[in-house]
Amino acid sequence: MKKLADIAHSRAGDKGNILVLSLIPFDSKDFDWLVENITADRVKSHLKGQIKGNVTRYVLPSIHALQFTCEDALAGGVTTSLALDAHGKSLSYALLEMEI
Amino acid sequence: MKDKIRIGCGAGFSGDRIEPALILTEKGNLDYLVLECLAERTIALAQKRKLQNPESGYDVLLEKRLKDLLPLLLHHKTRLVTNMGAANPVAGAKRIIELGKSQNLSIKVAAVIGDDVLEFISGEEHSLENNQPLQSEGKLVSANAYLGVEAILSALATDADIIITGRVADPSLFLAPMIYEFGWELDQFDLLGKGTVLGHLLECAGQLTGGYFADPISKPVPDLDRLGHPFVDVFPDGRGIISKVEGTGGIISERIAKEQLLYEVLDPYQYITPDVIADFSSVQFEKIASNQLQVTGGGGMEKPEKYKVSVGYEAGFKGEGEISYAGSHAVERARLAGEIIEKRIKSLVPNLRVDFIGLNSLHPAELSKNSSPYEVRLRVAGICETMELAQLIGEEVEALYTNGPAGGGGARKMVTQVVGVVSTLLNRDQVKPDVNLLST
């Protein structure tokens, strides 16, 4: 079974309780496939235990990248979260676990 | 007017390594060095220190970072721009002057003030996060406006060697020197947008040279143990070339730059700073030599009408306790330990979180359902109103040594004060940035 990690990389960032995940193909030839298949709904469903709010997807053709902005996704945000990884920095690799 | 300036970033957060800034200054041939050391909650904690002692409240690592850096900055004629002033830029500036005197250096320091707007906040303003009055969150301890380039430009116009600020939007620390050196106007939003792209790329320092990127299988990065921090050559048309000092660890690559361009960006088409609403969507990267990446494109629109203000409030105390189990039935014993703690203190600490490190502490449980680790670590955490109650969490976990499942080892306990952060907006005319100039 292939995972997203086999064809793309990602970096996680946080702003308050909002999680931001980039998704960038190793080979830009896979960009169109990602645009077609990795929708905001699919990301929200994959991370349903983590993301409680809306997911917005931004498509960036000039650098062949996708950006997912996930609301209410960090247990309150870094300052008051009880999570071990309060920033959600490790969640890029949770996205990349998605089976494709 | 210069036809190129070089800006390095030698620290990307309050706890960053010390030596990359020294290497950048000594070997980087920099015009400007930026040290970005201020996170949202850092300034609220600094504000609390300032209340205890009016001469404190600046970055706790200021002396450690600057002691060896000061003579290098003067020798190489590199100006420093840093937000290490935190809650008290003037006290930070005084401390730098003292450091200079102790080394017989002649230095001038400009402190940028005016971001502290606590006196203008009534507490009845609504937060951007949940639209409730700010004071409903807890006792307010700090309110700092994200200043833009204006105040830094006034400081650059003096002959200060060092510019120390409190809360300033991170990209503005980089954009101000570009505007000052190239004579860009404050309504040339396209140029300000391009400069903001470069500042945003640099602001996390090592995250642009391979830190927070490296994966030995899919994204190898050489020599992380001596990772160098980046610099950018900026041109008057807003184009930049990012690079790093030769011989340092890490790498400059398009993949890393793409990740960092999007890092913490809520909307890449509208990245809001006090100076400009920048558009990152048209940015392009081109490798022009080994460890040299050209950045073109990007743009901007009219800056926002109001300042964003970051408001810190007292949110109680966080208590944590951890203990490990290994071998046969490790997960079952750790789960039993977690149940014991919940039965004992859940009524006192309703907001209690139980994690199994090695199994499900980082990601949602469904991603680890087939995992079976050899060892697992119970972690219990809760936020409490009093320190005593927060301490109880770790004490109860530690007591599992002799009262809990077999083979529990390596217990640790910790209590931290919690400062929450919410945001609100303030009219521009209520914020009056200013500059204090000090010299040895």
Side-chain angles (χ1 to χ4, degrees):
Chain A
M1 183 66 76
K2 253 177 122 176
K3 291 178 180 176
L4 261 187
D6 296 320
I7 63 164
H9 56 112
S10 169
R11 179 168 295 201
D14 68 301
K15 276 275 183 254
N17 200 16
I18 302 174
L19 166 68
V20 182
L21 295 168
S22 58
L23 186 65
I24 305 160
F26 289 116
D27 185 338
S28 56
K29 286 202 282 290
D30 288 328
F31 177 65
D32 290 341
W33 187 90
L34 291 177
V35 172
E36 187 74 20
N37 290 279
I38 311 301
T39 60
D41 282 347
R42 190 156 171 200
V43 168
K44 174 155 176 161
S45 160
H46 174 64
L47 295 175
K48 58 180 181 291
Q50 187 76 35
I51 302 169
K52 310 295 179 197
N54 289 326
V55 176
T56 306
R57 187 182 79 162
Y58 297 93
V59 179
L60 297 148
S62 75
I63 56 167
H64 295 113
L66 296 177
Q67 178 89 316
F68 297 92
T69 300
C70 314
E71 295 169 27
D72 197 1
L74 291 172
V78 62
T79 55
T80 55
S81 163
L82 288 176
L84 183 62
D85 175 14
H87 295 92
K89 287 185 181 286
S90 70
L91 287 165
S92 49
Y93 275 82
L95 174 64
L96 297 176
E97 279 295 292
M98 189 190 290
E99 291 178 351
I100 55 172
Chain B
M1 191 179 82
K2 290 182 180 160
D3 57 5
K4 183 189 90 175
I5 60 168
R6 179 172 288 186
I7 308 173
C9 184
F13 83 109
S14 58
D16 212 335
R17 290 157 59 227
I18 305 288
E19 95 261 16
L22 300 173
I23 293 170
L24 271 171
T25 309
E26 190 158 24
K27 299 181 176 164
N29 197 21
L30 303 182
D31 297 298
Y32 291 87
L33 174 71
V34 173
L35 299 176
E36 197 288 290
C37 299
L38 198 53
E40 280 202 313
R41 64 190 288 275
T42 325
I43 203 162
L45 295 171
Q47 189 73 33
K48 294 194 69 131
R49 289 202 306 279
K50 183 181 163 187
L51 289 175
Q52 303 272 319
N53 171 6
E55 291 306 310
S56 72
Y58 52 83
D59 189 288
V60 290
L61 290 180
L62 181 134
E63 288 94 344
K64 199 173 174 184
R65 275 194 202 286
L66 295 190
K67 183 169 62 69
D68 297 332
L69 189 60
L70 283 181
L72 292 176
L73 290 169
L74 294 185
H75 180 73
H76 293 279
K77 297 187 170 54
T78 298
R79 293 178 98 181
L80 173 66
V81 183
T82 178
N83 55 15
M84 273 193 288
N88 201 347
V90 174
K94 284 183 188 163
R95 186 72 192 100
I96 296 170
I97 293 293
E98 284 171 22
L99 279 173
K101 279 183 181 163
S102 72
Q103 299 185 51
N104 291 318
L105 300 171
S106 167
I107 52 172
K108 287 189 179 167
V109 183
V112 171
I113 56 173
D115 61 307
D116 184 345
V117 293
L118 188 55
E119 62 184 300
F120 305 119
I121 298 287
S122 69
E124 283 164 22
E125 301 85 353
H126 285 212
S127 76
L128 299 177
E129 285 79 6
N130 55 22
N131 203 26
Q132 297 295 312
L134 295 171
Q135 62 196 8
S136 68
E137 302 284 352
K139 187 188 168 203
L140 305 187
V141 291
S142 68
N144 294 81
Y146 278 83
L147 301 181
V149 293
E150 281 103 334
I152 307 176
L153 288 171
S154 310
L156 288 169
T158 72
D159 56 353
D161 307 292
I162 293 173
I163 290 130
I164 182 167
T165 75
R167 174 51 71 206
V168 169
D170 295 345
S172 308
L173 300 168
F174 299 83
L175 182 59
M178 300 177 206
I179 294 172
Y180 175 72
E181 296 285 359
F182 297 141
W184 293 348
E185 299 295 333
L186 293 179
D187 60 358
Q188 287 183 297
F189 295 110
D190 196 58
L191 284 171
L192 303 194
K194 291 179 197 302
T196 296
V197 166
L198 298 175
H200 172 75
L201 284 169
L202 270 280
E203 74 182 55
C204 294
Q207 285 194 187
L208 188 59
T209 49
Y212 198 43
F213 173 87
D215 180 322
I217 306 300
S218 57
K219 301 185 291 181
V221 175
D223 303 319
L224 279 171
D225 57 300
R226 45 189 190 84
L227 184 70
H229 285 184
F231 61 76
V232 61
D233 286 335
V234 191
F235 299 89
D237 63 357
R239 183 170 50 96
I241 296 173
I242 52 180
S243 188
K244 66 185 188 69
V245 173
E246 209 176 320
T248 57
I251 192 166
I252 299 287
S253 81
E254 193 176 346
R255 282 181 182 171
I256 299 174
K258 285 180 180 179
E259 283 194 12
Q260 186 57 24
L261 180 72
L262 297 175
Y263 178 68
E264 292 184 338
V265 174
L266 295 178
D267 179 349
Y269 289 80
Q270 296 187 56
Y271 181 80
I272 303 171
T273 82
D275 308 311
V276 62
I277 298 178
D279 179 5
F280 290 4
S281 68
S282 57
V283 170
Q284 293 198 308
F285 299 108
E286 186 192 351
K287 181 177 174 174
I288 55 174
S290 167
N291 285 318
Q292 282 193 22
L293 193 69
Q294 179 165 265
V295 187
T296 53
M301 294 168 286
E302 171 80 48
K303 65 184 175 231
E305 248 175 64
K306 297 188 175 191
Y307 279 114
K308 182 178 164 188
V309 178
S310 180
V311 180
Y313 63 93
E314 289 185 352
F317 297 86
K318 181 161 70 176
E320 292 169 272
E322 296 180 5
I323 189 166
S324 286
Y325 300 87
S328 295
H329 328 131
V331 174
E332 289 81 357
R333 279 178 285 133
R335 286 196 196 281
L336 172 59
E339 285 161 18
I340 293 168
I341 300 295
E342 285 194 306
K343 281 181 184 158
R344 288 185 59 78
I345 61 173
K346 184 93 184 174
S347 60
L348 294 169
V349 189
N351 186 15
L352 198 67
R353 175 171 169 136
V354 177
D355 289 320
F356 300 96
I357 298 175
L359 187 71
N360 68 0
S361 65
L362 290 175
H363 294 170
E366 62 265 21
L367 293 178
S368 62
K369 56 183 181 293
N370 299 322
S371 164
S372 177
Y374 176 75
E375 61 176 62
V376 61
R377 187 163 176 81
L378 168 72
R379 170 180 180 268
V380 184
I383 288 185
C384 311
E385 278 184 26
T386 66
M387 186 184 277
E388 288 71 26
L389 204 50
Q391 281 165 341
L392 180 67
I393 296 170
E395 288 162 5
E396 286 287 342
V397 171
E398 187 181 37
L400 289 168
Y401 269 143
T402 57
N403 298 271
R412 296 283 186 279
K413 53 187 176 180
M414 188 161 70
V415 172
T416 42
Q417 190 175 7
V418 181
V419 173
V421 175
V422 285
S423 315
T424 190
L425 298 174
L426 207 57
N427 289 326
R428 283 189 178 255
D429 58 12
Q430 287 180 277
V431 181
K432 298 198 169 51
D434 202 359
V435 173
N436 279 11
L437 197 59
L438 287 77
S439 53
T440 48

